[in-house]
């Protein structure tokens, strides 16, 4: 895996949050990642998605993780 992209989704539209691929790094014991979304809509239920990208450029989606509106 080269890395991943973070998206939020409201209705049918997914919006990529990071400008550049978040590099996966190399660790035999695994890694922890975090991403702070400062642009999340305040009064709208959304879901987050992660799209991993492998060395061939193929992607795989993980999610959704729903977040209720505030």
């Amino acid at each position: 895996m080269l890395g991943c992209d973070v998206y939020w989704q409201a209705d049918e539209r997914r919006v990529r949050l990071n400008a550049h691929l978040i590099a996966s790094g190399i660790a035999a014991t695994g890694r922890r990642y975090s991403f702070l979304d400062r642009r999340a809509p305040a009064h709208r239920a959304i879901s987050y998605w992660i799209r991993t990208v492998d060395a061939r450029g193929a992607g795989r989606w993980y999610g959704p993780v729903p977040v209720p509106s505030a």
Side-chain angles (χ1 to χ4, degrees):
M1 184 175 88
L2 291 177
C4 64
D5 293 313
V6 179
Y7 291 77
W8 66 257
Q9 179 176 355
D11 304 317
E12 297 298 317
R13 192 182 91 178
R14 287 184 190 163
V15 176
R16 183 175 169 182
L17 300 176
N18 52 303
H20 304 284
L21 189 69
I22 299 169
S24 64
I26 299 173
T29 58
R31 290 192 178 261
R32 294 187 95 167
Y33 298 90
S34 64
F35 186 88
L36 178 59
D37 181 9
R38 296 184 188 275
R39 299 178 298 166
H43 302 289
R44 188 173 186 187
I46 61 172
S47 295
Y48 285 93
W49 290 81
I50 300 292
R51 181 177 179 268
T52 59
V53 179
D54 69 18
R56 296 182 322 255
R60 183 171 179 183
W61 290 97
Y62 295 90
V65 176
V67 178
S69 61

